[in-house]
Amino acid sequence: MTKTFKFALAAASALTLAACGGNEAGSASRDQIKGVGSSTVYPFAKAVSETFTRDNPNFKSPIIESTGTGGGMKLFCAGVGAETPDIANASRRMKASEFETCQQNGVTDVIEIQVGLDGIALASAKGGITMNLTPKMVYEALAASPYGGEQTNQTWADVDPSLPAIDILVYGPPSTSGTRDALKELILEAGCKTDEATKALKETDEDRYDQVCTEVRSDGKYVDQGEQDNLIVQKIEGNPNAVGIFGYSYLEENADKVQGLNMNGVAPTYENIASFEYPGARPLYVYVKKAHLEAIPGLKEFLAQWTQMWDRGGELAKIGLVANPEDVMARAVSAATNYDTLDGSELK
């Protein structure tokens, strides 16, 4: 294929984009990929974007924005067409309610690609506070109303006498972040359900259960640092008594500045996340509009670029992405190259 023909094809594809959605009058065409979503997936998506741009000079560099998983899903599911993103990066799986919103707005064919694994790491500065935590301890330290009661824990020793008598101060993700969603599901709920009465509450009053088990305290002990995980790293680096919560990739990237805290006696390492021995392990996703595949120049090639970089020894592993297990990897490759769509029946 000649360069001239490639450019002509790209231009023709861009012109068809307005027609593929048409949910807004006067929708302009677009000739470059646009992705939004998770701050955790962001560095991996940027790395793929940079390699894609270098290896495919005939296509424009993708625009990748860090909006948080929830914010990204809202933008992604707003409709089909040039004014909506092609890709939503997510540090948790799409919710059934989000899938339904997509369907209602004409985003009927969604491709789900699990690009790898990550871990929700609790960390402190090098030489700072060290603790062997459990989900129960983290829940009792951070919950607004532990087991439905009053939150009185001011120091880590108040939570458990094995922990240091240092004031609780945790910098973490906001409510729009997929990392916050995963924190709730993998750590806070797990800790909350160690109490049988609270665990049983889910069957009788799910709204109350969600409030008790996942609502984070707002008295200054937990500090929302927005969607920039690097800012959390900076905060804990400057305070040896502070704890930060972010994706494992940021722990890996800043290993010279911060240290991971054990959970259930297990360190947040590549091997422990890959085996799911570490309790904060979670999958990471990329969602793509199938309707945009033919309309956006380079979108298919961009998805193929992920498959060339996400192996255990690949470029993404070097910046903290944990490779999928073999069976999941096979499904991911199929989704990224055969464009298998999500039926939504397994979503919660």
Side-chain angles (χ1 to χ4, degrees):
M1 185 182 291
T2 68
K3 287 186 177 180
T4 302
F5 183 73
K6 281 186 177 181
F7 279 123
L9 181 61
S13 295
L15 289 172
T16 64
L17 181 58
C20 84
N23 62 327
E24 292 191 27
S27 179
S29 62
R30 178 159 47 80
D31 61 355
Q32 64 190 133
I33 298 162
K34 183 175 180 180
V36 295
S38 167
S39 61
T40 300
V41 181
Y42 178 79
F44 306 128
K46 285 295 288 181
V48 173
S49 175
E50 289 166 3
T51 302
F52 164 82
T53 302
R54 185 180 66 243
D55 293 350
N56 297 274
N58 293 328
F59 297 123
K60 288 188 176 181
S61 177
I63 300 170
I64 310 294
E65 297 180 39
S66 176
T67 63
T69 296
M73 288 293 185
K74 186 175 181 180
L75 293 168
F76 180 81
C77 290
V80 177
E83 296 186 3
T84 66
D86 316 303
I87 295 170
N89 302 315
S91 54
R92 50 138 174 99
R93 199 173 193 193
M94 177 181 277
K95 297 176 181 178
S97 59
E98 291 167 338
F99 182 78
E100 180 60 28
T101 299
C102 270
Q103 301 295 300
Q104 291 172 355
N105 291 334
V107 188
T108 55
D109 293 316
V110 177
I111 301 165
E112 177 187 75
I113 307 168
Q114 183 175 317
V115 295
L117 304 172
D118 184 41
I120 302 171
L122 275 75
S124 62
K126 283 281 191 183
I129 185 174
T130 59
M131 296 182 284
N132 184 15
L133 297 166
T134 66
K136 182 176 185 289
M137 292 174 181
V138 176
Y139 169 71
E140 292 180 2
L142 298 185
S145 179
Y147 313 116
E150 183 182 358
Q151 174 57 274
T152 60
N153 295 318
Q154 298 300 309
T155 72
W156 289 102
D158 292 337
V159 174
D160 191 282
S162 69
L163 301 178
I166 294 174
D167 285 347
I168 297 167
L169 177 59
V170 177
Y171 293 99
S175 59
T176 55
S177 169
T179 301
R180 178 77 160 264
D181 290 331
L183 170 67
K184 291 177 180 180
E185 180 180 346
L186 299 175
I187 305 297
L188 298 182
E189 280 196 64
C192 182
K193 288 190 288 190
T194 59
D195 178 72
E196 290 299 323
T198 310
K199 182 180 179 180
L201 186 62
K202 188 169 187 177
E203 302 301 321
T204 58
D205 190 342
E206 189 165 356
D207 288 342
R208 175 61 176 160
Y209 167 85
D210 287 340
Q211 180 184 31
V212 169
C213 289
T214 68
E215 187 175 316
V216 176
R217 64 196 299 179
S218 58
D219 58 356
K221 296 295 185 182
Y222 180 92
V223 183
D224 176 337
Q225 280 300 304
E227 294 291 353
Q228 301 303 317
D229 289 358
N230 278 323
L231 183 57
I232 299 176
V233 172
Q234 293 172 20
K235 287 290 186 179
I236 64 173
E237 188 185 7
N239 185 342
N241 292 332
V243 171
I245 300 175
F246 39 68
Y248 163 75
S249 61
Y250 286 88
L251 176 62
E252 176 86 359
E253 180 183 342
N254 297 279
D256 59 327
K257 303 173 185 175
V258 299
Q259 59 191 4
L261 303 179
N262 288 3
M263 187 78 65
N264 290 346
V266 179
T269 64
Y270 187 104
E271 291 74 15
N272 291 337
I273 292 168
S275 67
F276 285 91
E277 185 178 355
Y278 178 71
R282 58 170 174 174
L284 302 178
Y285 297 93
V286 165
Y287 291 91
V288 186
K289 292 174 184 171
K290 191 169 185 177
H292 284 205
L293 287 176
E294 299 295 341
I296 298 296
L299 185 53
K300 288 183 177 180
E301 291 82 356
F302 182 72
L303 299 186
Q305 189 70 60
W306 275 95
T307 70
Q308 298 168 30
M309 297 176 66
W310 64 24
D311 290 338
R312 180 171 183 130
E315 290 302 307
L316 295 181
K318 296 177 183 177
I319 58 173
L321 185 72
V322 177
N324 285 318
E326 287 187 12
D327 58 332
V328 178
M329 182 73 80
R331 292 197 297 272
V333 170
S334 179
T337 56
N338 296 325
Y339 317 119
D340 310 324
T341 56
L342 188 65
D343 69 14
S345 61
E346 296 181 357
L347 301 179
K348 298 178 181 179

